[in-house]
């Protein structure tokens, strides 16, 4: 879905009922492109830049290990239009080389003035 259509969906109020009970994502911190992995162990996430594509939130990123490892990954979330933007939730990541996969607790809120995120 293109950005103009996304904002039209938001303006028309196509929001998932469960989202209305979530804390206000407009108060979340701005999303940084580089941050500490929610998995810990000294890993860093780099190049995180979620966008809406084909009805899902998606980004490629690198996982940078404490020993210099560089692992290319992709994460996709369910995209839910809510007032003010798109909530990206229930994320699943996988290695671009076919190695490794899992879920992420990270949620992202895409809005016109930049993405915001919430991590447990």
């Amino acid at each position: 879905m293109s950005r103009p259509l996304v904002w039209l969906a938001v303006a028309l109020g196509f929001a998932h009922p469960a989202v209305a009970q979530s804390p206000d994502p407009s108060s979340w911190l701005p999303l940084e492109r580089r941050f500490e992995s929610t998995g810990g162990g000294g890993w860093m996430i780099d190049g995180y830049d979620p966008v809406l594509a084909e009805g899902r939130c998606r980004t490629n990123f690198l996982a940078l290990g404490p020993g210099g490892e560089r692992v290319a990954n992709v994460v996709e979330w369910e995209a839910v239009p809510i007032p003010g933007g798109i909530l990206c939730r229930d994320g699943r990541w996988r290695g671009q080389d076919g190695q490794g996969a899992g879920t992420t607790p990270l949620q992202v809120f895409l809005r016109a003035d930049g993405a915001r995120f919430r991590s447990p």
Side-chain angles (χ1 to χ4, degrees), residues 36-44:
E36 191 172 336
S37 170
T38 59
W43 286 80
M44 294 294 292

Side-chain angles (χ1 to χ4, degrees), residues 3-4 11 21 26-27 40 52 69 75 83 89 110 118:
R3 287 193 186 265
Q21 298 172 7
S26 65
S27 66
L52 187 65
E69 305 93 338
V75 63
R89 65 178 193 184
L110 302 178
R118 178 174 70 175

Side-chain angles (χ1 to χ4, degrees), residues 39-61:
W43 286 80
M44 294 294 292
I45 303 301
D46 192 30
Y48 223 70
D49 190 20
V51 296
L52 187 65
E54 299 175 8
R56 299 196 51 85
C57 301
R58 182 179 196 281
T59 188
N60 294 326
F61 67 95

Side-chain angles (χ1 to χ4, degrees), residues 62-99:
L62 288 175
L64 307 173
E69 305 93 338
R70 297 173 59 88
V71 182
N73 296 282
V74 62
V75 63
E76 290 186 346
W77 298 265
E78 172 187 14
V80 181
I82 64 172
I86 300 294
L87 178 63
C88 307
R89 65 178 193 184
D90 299 327
R92 301 190 65 78
W93 65 269
R94 66 182 182 284
Q96 290 183 359
D97 63 0
Q99 302 286 321

